Amino acid sequence: MITERILPSLRRRHTWAQPRLDGMPTLILVRHGRSTANTAGLLAGWTPGVALDERGAAQAAALPGRLAALPLAEVVSSPLQRCQETIQPLLDARPELRAHSEERIGECHYGDWSGRKLAELMDEPLMEVVQAHPSAAAFPGGESMRAMQTRAAEAVREWNARVERDHGSDAVYLMCSHGDIIKSLVADALGLHLDLFQRISVEPCSITAIRYTRLRPFLVRLGDTGDFTSLAPREEPSGSDAAVGGGAGAP
């Protein structure tokens, strides 16, 4: 009899305590199109004057069509030229949108490594740390990979709050950023340690989507280009090392 009297009360309390997965904005992450540094095999970092190459410009031109079904509330971009060029066709197609520049989603500050050939950097002892233990990697004259992830994740959380405040909890907004930044944000969304982020791949002009809620994010797209060319066998195997900076994508 005691159990019969108590259970309904417990059920009521249990039902009342169930958490609600309140909606928050959906973030569309776009990596910039293929750049002149990608094709030259250089680690661009914040080196000025790195533009989209011919293929990158074509990728950017196709972006408005790929995103045509999405009612974008805001566009946020790294201040670097290759990202600005990537979103320009989208802004031209949607004149009601304007881009907000956000330094915290700018490329990792690679310091003394910036502008150097990736093939040369493979012989640097630090590269092994970047590949296998990136949470301990700090670039000479630059920043650590932990600091890179922290600033990018903080930017996303602040923009989530701003977009929700201004456009509602079901809003969709876009950030154009860089390979290592996007990989670190995916790791953050999945609750992965930064040491595992090199297992993630995002090609030039790929689309990654993260839907945020009050309790957890959901990764709903990862590195989507709509093109499977990069999965075809290559003459030279890519090996087990991750492409620092994001790589050049399909040949």
Side-chain angles (χ1 to χ4, degrees):
M1 294 294 293
I2 294 176
T3 302
E4 290 176 359
R5 289 198 301 271
I6 291 175
L7 277 178
S9 175
L10 287 176
R11 287 195 192 101
R12 285 196 298 272
R13 282 206 298 266
H14 182 67
T15 301
W16 175 82
Q18 284 296 305
R20 292 172 55 233
L21 295 179
D22 295 330
M24 289 181 68
T26 296
L27 170 60
I28 307 299
L29 287 162
V30 176
R31 185 185 166 199
H32 62 78
R34 197 173 74 176
S35 73
T36 53
N38 293 145
T39 46
L42 300 176
L43 186 62
W46 284 71
T47 304
V50 177
L52 299 183
D53 67 7
E54 185 177 353
R55 179 170 182 168
Q59 291 171 332
L63 195 58
R66 294 169 64 196
L67 298 173
L70 295 180
L72 297 176
E74 301 281 3
V75 173
V76 185
S77 177
S78 157
L80 293 173
Q81 180 178 340
R82 52 196 182 274
C83 286
Q84 300 286 329
E85 291 181 353
T86 298
I87 61 170
Q88 192 57 53
L90 178 64
L91 298 175
D92 291 342
R94 302 197 192 190
E96 74 279 6
L97 291 175
R98 68 180 183 89
H100 303 272
S101 183
E102 173 58 80
E103 288 199 5
R104 290 175 296 175
I105 62 167
E107 182 62 282
C108 184
H109 291 276
Y110 296 116
D112 298 344
W113 280 26
S114 299
R116 292 182 59 187
K117 283 193 170 292
L118 286 163
E120 297 174 358
L121 292 172
M122 296 307 294
D123 295 328
E124 294 280 353
L126 178 61
M127 182 58 84
E128 185 177 7
V129 182
V130 170
Q131 292 290 330
H133 190 19
S135 65
F139 296 98
E143 71 178 331
S144 70
M145 302 199 91
R146 285 184 292 108
M148 173 200 74
Q149 183 187 44
T150 297
R151 63 172 165 86
E154 287 177 349
V156 166
R157 281 163 175 75
E158 288 181 19
W159 274 98
N160 281 349
R162 178 173 172 174
V163 170
E164 182 179 16
R165 181 198 67 203
D166 294 345
H167 303 282
S169 60
D170 59 348
V172 179
Y173 75 107
L174 180 146
M175 280 186 168
C176 185
S177 188
H178 306 265
D180 281 350
I181 295 288
I182 294 173
K183 288 161 57 177
S184 75
L185 290 171
V186 170
D188 174 75
L190 292 176
L192 293 178
H193 196 284
L194 185 60
D195 286 344
L196 301 178
F197 101 123
Q198 297 289 28
R199 302 183 183 195
I200 299 166
S201 176
V202 289
E203 292 197 359
C205 225
S206 63
I207 294 173
T208 294
I210 302 172
R211 181 170 293 126
Y212 287 86
T213 74
R214 187 172 62 85
L215 296 184
R216 64 183 65 87
F218 293 90
L219 179 66
V220 292
R221 292 288 189 280
L222 175 61
D224 188 341
T225 64
D227 180 3
F228 297 101
T229 305
S230 63
L231 302 180
R234 302 187 185 185
E235 293 182 7
E236 296 183 6
S238 58
S240 61
D241 286 341
V244 179

